[in-house]
Amino acid sequence: MNRFIYSPSYAVDIGAHVFPTAKFRLAAEAVASLGVLCEPQEPSRDDLLLAHDSAWVDKVLTSRMSLAEEMLMELPFTPAVSLAHRLQAAGTVLACRHALEAGVGLHVGGGSHHAFRDHGEGFCVLNDIAVGIMKMRSEGYIRNAAVIDLDVHQGNGTASILAGEPGIFTFSMHQDDLYPSVKPPSSLDVGLPAGTGDQDYLRILEENLPQVFAHQPELVVYQAGVDGWEKDLLGGLKLTAQGLRRRDAMVYEACRGRGVPVAVTLGGGYGAHIKETARLHAQTLTLFTGRGKEIS
Ligand SMILES: [Zn+2]
């Protein structure tokens, strides 16, 4: 039975925003018939401290921060937004557990790769990817892990938090001339020119994935942002829906073919129509159930 990790609290009303959180609800509804939904519980403060400093965790827990910090996140920082992001951090921890138990963990959320140890940025508050990996490591389940981040934006927060962590390999393939302007180095960064289409994208991904596995990860966290889609409002790549499906299939085969557990997180996606964004996220989740076919 497939388990999809999701909480209704992920969908928070933040007014008119390029990042409408209802996409989480729509994606969850699209995959609900394929399995059961599992709700994450609040993470402990100690769990958040695995990837964040105490000053930032306290600001998130109390929902108190400066206007400058709020503007950097590009989110109105209400208690409901704080709760949504805390639960998503716990959701990715759960996805990592499911991955280690069953081979695949499916999170209908997460992928907040722009969150740094001491601040949030770009719609990201807490780095659920780093929290998930560090939690599995702190409990002794794994030593080596890898991040495969295929969001259109570089995974700056993840790269920064996990830099220097022995045994953790971060891979980000993204559009080069896009936010973030300053890109802290991942273990492997591949910057692509705007306009890159399916054929070149898939070839370059295929060339680079072996480097991730050469490092022998015992767990992969996949940031499966769909903002590389050709109609995305923020990205400038030219991936079709079919190209994104083939991208996901390549990651799925790379992990499953080597017996490496993989936890999937959604990441970015900013289509003009929220239903299209949710459909692309559902396509990713469906593929990782092993069904390999698209939701129409
Ligand atoms: Zn993005």
Side-chain angles (χ1 to χ4, degrees), residues 113 151-153 227 268 270:
H113 61 163
D151 193 278
V152 80
H153 302 99
D227 41 12
Y270 313 97

Side-chain angles (χ1 to χ4, degrees), residues 72-100:
L72 195 56
M73 288 194 299
E74 301 178 68
L75 282 174
F77 202 69
T78 63
V81 168
S82 172
L83 177 63
H85 286 261
R86 276 146 42 207
L87 288 173
Q88 291 200 36
T92 296
V93 171
L94 193 53
C96 291
R97 283 195 204 287
H98 287 181
L100 294 177

Side-chain angles (χ1 to χ4, degrees), residues 206-280:
E206 190 168 30
E207 285 168 4
N208 283 281
L209 276 178
Q211 287 191 62
V212 176
F213 293 94
H215 172 72
Q216 300 190 315
E218 296 156 284
L219 170 69
V220 164
V221 176
Y222 178 31
Q223 205 279 19
V226 295
D227 41 12
W229 187 43
E230 57 190 346
K231 294 180 189 167
D232 195 85
L233 298 177
L234 300 187
L237 298 185
K238 294 292 174 206
L239 303 181
T240 65
Q242 176 71 6
L244 286 168
R245 196 186 71 80
R246 288 173 62 198
R247 172 199 75 162
D248 294 339
M250 199 178 282
V251 175
Y252 179 79
E253 296 295 337
C255 294
R256 302 308 296 138
R258 293 171 173 86
V260 178
V262 55
V264 180
T265 64
L266 295 192
Y270 313 97
H273 304 289
I274 187 172
K275 284 185 178 170
E276 292 177 327
T277 305
R279 187 176 62 83
L280 292 170

